[in-house]
Amino acid sequence: MHAIAKMNLRNERTSKILFSQVEKHADQIVNASNPQNISNTVWACAKLEVESPNLFAQVEKHAERFVNASNPQDISNTVWACAKLGVKSPTLFAQVEKHAERFVKEGDPQALANTVWACAELGVESPNLFVQVEKHAERFVKEGDPQALANTVWACAELG
């Protein structure tokens, strides 16, 4: 799925068939896959603008397990996909909020920027996440590129 999205094969018959099978078997995919595979799959859906309500519902259902087992990049890709497709996922975002300290300490500026952008895009209040962003601001300014910093500042301004 990730490769299909990278190649932007949006209208190919094969990709449509594959995405329909992902949707059909979403419960098995989320239960049997590791966090990277799950995040790559939802990212591919968002990249190609393929709505997959069952897949996102399964991620929401297993949000606690997913976030506990995920690294910041997996979390970032997943919440970015939610925001890109307008998928409200309160349990997922609550778990991100709960694990914000670990996420921000371990994450790179791009992962952080995508995550706070997703919060702002969906209007998700995440005070602990933003407190952690503030605590680690110096590192993000030193390590981040201008676009990641701009996205982070925009998200902070959007959510106040």
Side-chain angles (χ1 to χ4, degrees), residues 98-160:
K98 180 179 175 181
H99 297 279
E101 185 174 2
R102 172 181 67 90
F103 173 74
V104 173
K105 280 182 181 177
E106 295 174 6
D108 65 27
Q110 186 62 53
L112 174 70
N114 289 345
T115 302
V116 297
W117 175 86
C119 289
E121 189 70 16
L122 292 172
V124 174
E125 297 288 328
S126 193
N128 188 39
L129 177 62
F130 284 88
V131 165
Q132 294 302 319
V133 168
E134 185 178 338
K135 282 175 65 175
H136 296 274
E138 185 176 346
R139 177 172 68 92
F140 293 122
V141 169
K142 287 180 180 176
E143 296 175 8
D145 65 39
Q147 186 63 56
L149 294 172
N151 290 348
T152 302
V153 169
W154 174 84
C156 291
E158 241 349 81
L159 291 175

Side-chain angles (χ1 to χ4, degrees), residues 22-154:
V22 165
E23 180 65 3
K24 182 177 178 180
H25 300 288
D27 56 338
Q28 296 155 328
I29 291 167
V30 172
N31 279 314
S33 296
N34 66 42
Q36 183 178 5
N37 290 340
I38 295 167
S39 72
N40 285 347
T41 303
V42 298
W43 177 88
C45 288
K47 177 80 171 141
L48 296 176
E49 300 173 348
V50 174
E51 293 188 11
S52 189
N54 190 33
L55 177 62
F56 283 87
Q58 290 301 315
V59 171
E60 174 71 358
K61 179 179 175 181
H62 299 284
E64 184 173 6
R65 178 176 55 87
F66 174 76
V67 172
N68 282 331
S70 293
N71 64 40
Q73 187 64 51
D74 299 333
I75 294 167
S76 171
N77 287 349
T78 303
V79 298
W80 177 88
C82 288
K84 191 77 171 155
L85 292 174
V87 174
K88 302 275 183 180
S89 193
T91 305
L92 176 63
F93 281 89
Q95 287 299 312
V96 171
E97 172 70 358
K98 180 179 175 181
H99 297 279
E101 185 174 2
R102 172 181 67 90
F103 173 74
V104 173
K105 280 182 181 177
E106 295 174 6
D108 65 27
Q110 186 62 53
L112 174 70
N114 289 345
T115 302
V116 297
W117 175 86
C119 289
E121 189 70 16
L122 292 172
V124 174
E125 297 288 328
S126 193
N128 188 39
L129 177 62
F130 284 88
V131 165
Q132 294 302 319
V133 168
E134 185 178 338
K135 282 175 65 175
H136 296 274
E138 185 176 346
R139 177 172 68 92
F140 293 122
V141 169
K142 287 180 180 176
E143 296 175 8
D145 65 39
Q147 186 63 56
L149 294 172
N151 290 348
T152 302
V153 169
W154 174 84

